[in-house]
Amino acid sequence: NAGVTQTPKFQVLKTGQSMTLQCAQDMNHEYMSWYRQDPGMGLRLIHYSVGAGITDQGEVPNGYNVSRSTTEDFPLRLLSAAPSQTSVYFCASSTPVTYEQYFGPGTRLTVT
Amino acid sequence: TQLLEQSPQFLSIQEGENLTVYCNSSSVFSSLQWYRQEPGEGPVLLVTVVTGGEVKKLKRLTFQFGDARKDSSLHITAAQPGDTGLYLCAGDAGNMLTFGGGTRLMVKP
């Protein structure tokens, strides 16, 4: 099993550009989440999904969109990148019983 | 928003020393998880505590959940350089986890 995979690993965007961060898991987990990690602030939840076709907002959803058409994939879209979105982004999957998160390796995004 | 505060934020110790990291909240959580994160990687789950007062041991690491399920501690005995990393606690707030700000631990040989 590959677990949770994320692409790309690094990305540089100019302000106003859009892009999609990819996330896939092969553990058949129902729950998937996107977090951003900024220095000294731990992990903050952006969006999450409890199953295919169902998504909901987390703590910091503004400027991001998600969709969940399959159990395996949960892409995160930045609509119009801003310097405040410079961060490390982690995708995670979990089961609905324990919420124990399996994290991907992260995407380091810089917006100039 | 349910907040989790971790202390200390930074800790630098010598190999062989003991240490305790704290995770505190004014909110009650149904469970609490501890993760360790190494540079350039995603966090990895260490343990989940569920019952108030529960104590779990993982080799030299001892985790405790407060009686009221509002706080937790991680104690490391005889720290090793391999324990170096960012330690994160996360509380189950129903459908999502709330993470603390993390404790960055450095163990010097």
Side-chain angles (χ1 to χ4, degrees), chain A residues 41-90:
Chain A
M41 300 187 73
L43 291 157
R44 291 184 292 168
L45 183 65
I46 304 171
H47 285 285
Y48 66 99
S49 168
V50 300
I54 306 169
T55 64
D56 207 345
Q57 296 181 351
E59 184 185 354
V60 288
N62 292 341
Y64 307 95
N65 270 359
V66 292
S67 60
R68 183 99 180 268
S69 55
T70 68
T71 299
E72 294 78 19
D73 300 299
F74 191 43
L76 178 72
R77 296 183 191 84
L78 279 70
L79 309 172
S80 177
S84 61
Q85 293 178 304
T86 293
S87 187
V88 182
Y89 291 84
F90 288 99

Side-chain angles (χ1 to χ4, degrees), chain B residues 10-82:
Chain B
F10 301 97
L11 193 54
S12 180
I13 61 172
Q14 293 295 132
E15 181 176 1
E17 292 183 9
N18 301 333
L19 67 117
T20 302
V21 174
Y22 299 93
C23 176
N24 295 303
S25 176
S26 57
S27 302
V28 175
F29 293 98
S30 55
S31 69
L32 197 135
Q33 301 169 10
W34 284 92
Y35 293 81
R36 180 167 67 209
Q37 184 179 20
E38 299 190 16
E41 299 181 7
V44 175
L45 179 71
L46 295 173
V47 78
T48 300
V49 285
V50 179
T51 307
E54 182 177 5
V55 176
K56 280 192 174 179
K57 292 194 174 185
L58 188 66
K59 297 184 181 177
R60 292 176 293 98
L61 279 61
T62 301
F63 304 85
Q64 183 159 10
F65 202 10
D67 291 340
R69 292 186 287 127
K70 293 182 179 180
D71 54 82
S72 181
S73 64
L74 158 60
H75 182 79
I76 302 179
T77 303
Q80 305 292 313

Side-chain angles (χ1 to χ4, degrees), chain A residues 31 37 90 98-101, chain B residues 33 35 37 43 48 92 95:
Chain A
Y31 282 25
Q37 185 173 38
F90 288 99
T98 65
Y99 300 120
E100 291 173 349
Q101 306 283 300
Chain B
Q33 301 169 10
Y35 293 81
Q37 184 179 20
T48 300
D92 174 4
N95 261 4

Side-chain angles (χ1 to χ4, degrees), chain A residues 8-21:
Chain A
K9 193 153 180 67
F10 300 95
Q11 182 71 49
V12 179
L13 292 178
K14 294 187 187 307
T15 297
Q17 287 184 316
S18 62
M19 79 159 296
T20 299
L21 307 185

